């Protein structure tokens, strides 16, 4: 080590899932009243929780968002507002004046009704990477991330665990039994899926699993899982998509 | 520069040492200067199968510890002067193999040999990791049964992530499948996986299929690598596998149930 200087920090990137307050009205009195009711139902949920304010749902209006009041309101309920997304240039300037960060476009679909399960591309997401797990063989040379997905062009062997942070994961090759795939977004497997696949890792209920040949040991969307034993024989060995329908995990042939 | 080949499997007792002996002898017989290293420290038996156990003075660990030099430890084969054996120590444990030590030995061998064959111990512990770390090629020895296939798959994952080539982002290790102890009769009865079944799961290049054969046991009892037995199917299969490794296009044999004719029943060769 040059000069014997011990590194005091590392720079890394990671993806987080945060609650979003989606403003539908600039009338803060209405917001305040409804928010108080919500917080009352689950006060612990909001305590010390960082939140992002989404301005994308505001109707077009001349009126400004009163950020100082909004921030005060959220803080008053124990939340830690730290950024905004969406909205106009004017909104952004006002937000920055309150030391709020201006975040990039979302990766989560705006509306459940629109584009279910197909998150739009995300230009400013933190770079996804495969995360080494102790006791497992991470892919030492995961291909460089591009956009918000991870593409791996070779088979995933028993004992390997691929964790794609912050996006979709595509595997071109077989996934062996005893291998494990995890992604915050969708998982695509172009080859037999014999191991475990867990999509929507951070609770994204819109995530889906697509595979050409389902022989999996376990599949899961946002924690709703099904083990091999409970996958009907008719769906084994065929191309399927797997998604959440309310609380139910559905497996449908493609 | 030598090519470094690891004979590995994950699962124990599948035929790694048998293969290391036959493969290195096969390469040497074709005129390639070959060294075969026993990485099974504490359970050495490559020297037995090679028939040189009574000529062991120094071993691999002695060389790593600087207690002997390579020339003192390498044992030249009596049947083929292109073949050398570096035996394992029976008295040390596997931690004696350090990454630096193993690397230095392999580097020195690389200067004068064409091929260095590393006979890996079973498992995925330290000894097996050291045997595969410096490999250019891996021969993954697999028996036609589910647990062996699963372990081979696990080993393939380790090869692609824990080897020097993986760690330095170099071209990946070339991986070859060798199916051993194959019994077409048992496959026909559904008691064993077929070549196709195994290939479907592992999807890798098939270097050879070695049939289950009494000749293997006889050969190891006699301390003769089975590839020298040119009559037995196992010996021939190992000969074919060496040829394929060297780039020859040799069709696979011994995959189907043999029709027992009058003469073969009379001769009853295993
Ligand atoms: N093709 C074969 N036909 C019959 N027996 C075989 C065959 N190949 C190997 N064997 C037998 O299987 C046993 C194990 O073989 P070997 O020692 O080569 O395996 P290994 O993988 O090196 O074992 P270990 O994991 O303990 O190092 C030996 O008794 C050997 O004779
Ligand atoms: Mg052995």
């Amino acid at each position: 080590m040059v000069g014997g200087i011990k590194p005091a920090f590392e720079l890394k990137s990671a993806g987080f899932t945060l609650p979003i307050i989606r403003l539908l009205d600039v009338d803060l009195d209405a917001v305040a009243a409804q928010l108080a009711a919500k917080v009352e139902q689950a006060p612990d949920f909001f305590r010390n929780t960082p939140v992002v304010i989404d301005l994308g749902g505001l109707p077009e209006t001349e009126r400004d968002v009163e950020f100082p009041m909004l921030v005060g309101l959220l803080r008053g309920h124990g939340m830690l507002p730290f950024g905004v997304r969406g909205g106009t240039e004017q909104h952004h300037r006002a937000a920055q004046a309150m030391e709020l960060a201006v975040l990039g476009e979302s990766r989560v679909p705006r509306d459940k009704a629109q584009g279910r399960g197909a998150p739009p591309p995300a230009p400013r997401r933190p770079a996804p990477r495969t995360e080494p797990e102790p006791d497992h063989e991470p892919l030492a040379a995961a291909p460089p991330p591009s956009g918000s997905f991870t593409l791996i062009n070779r088979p995933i062997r028993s004992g390997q665990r691929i964790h794609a942070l912050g996006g979709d994961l595509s595997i071109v090759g077989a996934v062996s039994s005893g291998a494990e795939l995890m992604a915050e977004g969708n998982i695509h497997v172009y080859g037999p899926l014999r191991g475990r696949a867990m999509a929507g890792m951070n609770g994204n209920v819109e995530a889906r699993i697509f595979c050409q040949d389902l022989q999996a040991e376990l599949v899961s969307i946002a924690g709703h899982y099904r083990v091999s034993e409970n996958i009907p024989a008719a769906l084994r060995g065929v191309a399927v998509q797997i998604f959440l329908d309310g609380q139910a995990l559905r497996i449908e042939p493609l | 520069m030598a090519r470094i080949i690891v004979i590995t499997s994950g699962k124990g007792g599948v035929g790694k040492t048998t293969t290391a002996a036959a493969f290195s002898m096969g390469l040497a017989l074709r005129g390639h200067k070959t060294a075969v290293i026993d990485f099974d420290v504490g359970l050495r038996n490559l020297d037995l199968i090679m028939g040189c156990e009574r000529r062991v003075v120094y071993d691999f660990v002695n060389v790593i510890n600087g207690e002997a030099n390579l020339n003192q430890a390498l044992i030249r084969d009596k049947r083929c002067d292109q073949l050398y054996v570096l035996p394992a120590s029976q008295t040390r444990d596997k931690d004696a193999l350090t990454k630096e030590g193993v690397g230095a030995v392999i580097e020195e061998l690389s200067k004068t040999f064409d091929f260095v064959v590393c006979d890996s111990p079973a498992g995925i512990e330290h000894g097996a990791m050291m045997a595969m770390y410096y490999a250019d090629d891996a021969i993954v020895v697999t028996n036609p049964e589910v647990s062996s296939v699963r372990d081979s798959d696990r080993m393939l994952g380790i090869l692609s992530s824990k080897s020097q080539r993986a760690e330095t982002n170099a071209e990946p290790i070339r991986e070859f499948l060798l199916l051993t102890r194959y019994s077409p009769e048992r496959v026909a009865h559904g008691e064993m996986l077929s070549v196709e079944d195994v290939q479907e799961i592992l999807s890798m290049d098939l270097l050879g299929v070695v049939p289950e054969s009494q000749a293997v046991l006889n050969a190891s009892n006699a301390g003769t690598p089975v590839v020298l037995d040119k009559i037995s199917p196992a010996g021939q299969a190992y000969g074919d596998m060496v040829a394929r490794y060297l780039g020859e296009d040799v069709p696979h044999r011994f995959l189907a149930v043999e029709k027992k004719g009058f003469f073969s029943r009379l001769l009853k060769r295993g």
Side-chain angles (χ1 to χ4, degrees), chain A residues 135-141 154-160 174 176-178 194 215 217, chain B residues 124 129 150 153-158 160-162 166-167 169 175 200-204:
Chain A
D135 239 288
H136 288 264
E137 274 62 50
L139 276 195
R154 56 181 158 132
I156 310 303
R157 302 292 186 178
S158 180
Q160 289 184 314
S176 294
S177 93
R194 302 190 172 101
Q215 305 178 31
E217 293 168 332
Chain B
I124 53 173
M129 296 306 233
R150 171 76 70 96
D153 192 60
R154 178 105 167 87
M155 185 47 76
L156 286 163
I158 293 171
S160 66
S161 59
K162 294 268 170 93
E167 285 179 5
N169 267 332
E175 302 157 346
E200 147 129 38
I201 299 171
L202 293 178
S203 58
M204 55 191 293

Side-chain angles (χ1 to χ4, degrees), chain A:
Chain A
M1 215 175 294
V2 187
I5 299 168
K6 263 182 33 194
F9 62 85
E10 287 179 332
L11 260 182
K12 296 201 163 172
S13 80
F16 298 94
T17 297
L18 297 172
I20 285 173
I21 304 249
R22 192 164 153 78
L23 278 194
L24 303 173
D25 198 330
V26 291
D27 175 6
L28 288 188
D29 289 339
V31 172
Q34 292 172 26
L35 193 63
K38 263 267 181 302
V39 172
E40 205 168 299
Q41 291 168 9
D44 284 344
F45 181 80
F46 296 98
R47 196 161 297 139
N48 291 325
T49 303
V51 294
V52 173
I53 303 159
D54 186 346
L55 306 167
L58 285 176
E60 285 199 26
T61 158
E62 297 298 292
R63 284 176 61 193
D64 277 344
V65 180
E66 289 169 66
F67 281 103
M69 259 194 71
L70 180 59
V71 168
L73 184 62
L74 296 174
R75 289 234 167 95
H77 287 298
M79 287 175 250
L80 305 169
F82 88 102
V84 300
R85 72 172 194 190
T88 62
E89 288 275 325
Q90 201 178 336
H91 288 143
H92 293 171
R93 272 194 302 276
Q96 277 164 336
M98 283 304 294
E99 305 206 307
L100 291 172
V102 176
L103 304 173
E105 270 313 296
S106 72
R107 116 194 113 94
V108 184
R110 281 287 160 109
D111 205 338
K112 282 203 176 193
Q114 117 201 10
R116 250 202 104 166
R124 300 214 322 207
R125 293 279 310 156
R129 62 193 167 95
T130 57
E131 184 186 70
E133 300 271 341
D135 239 288
H136 288 264
E137 274 62 50
L139 276 195
S146 63
S148 70
F149 66 89
T150 305
L151 172 68
I152 294 178
N153 259 318
R154 56 181 158 132
I156 310 303
R157 302 292 186 178
S158 180
Q160 289 184 314
R161 174 185 275 190
I162 308 298
H163 192 172
L165 293 172
D168 284 13
L169 174 61
S170 301
I171 309 289
V172 184
V175 177
S176 294
S177 93
E180 210 167 278
L181 308 179
M182 288 175 284
E184 289 179 18
N186 303 312
I187 292 177
H188 309 259
V189 179
Y190 301 94
L193 168 57
R194 302 190 172 101
R196 300 166 154 240
M198 289 166 265
M201 277 301 280
N202 285 15
N204 180 0
V205 295
E206 301 294 324
R208 292 185 178 205
I209 297 168
F210 302 88
C211 71
Q212 268 187 338
D213 177 357
L214 177 69
Q215 305 178 31
E217 293 168 332
L218 179 148
V219 291
S220 150
I221 308 279
H224 299 258
Y225 66 89
R226 194 165 322 169
V227 294
S228 163
E229 208 179 62
N230 299 329
I231 298 175
L235 294 170
R236 301 190 69 85
V238 301
V240 299
Q241 64 167 324
I242 301 166
F243 56 94
L244 271 186
D245 186 3
Q247 294 292 302
L249 190 76
R250 299 255 310 259
I251 304 178
E252 280 187 356
L254 280 174

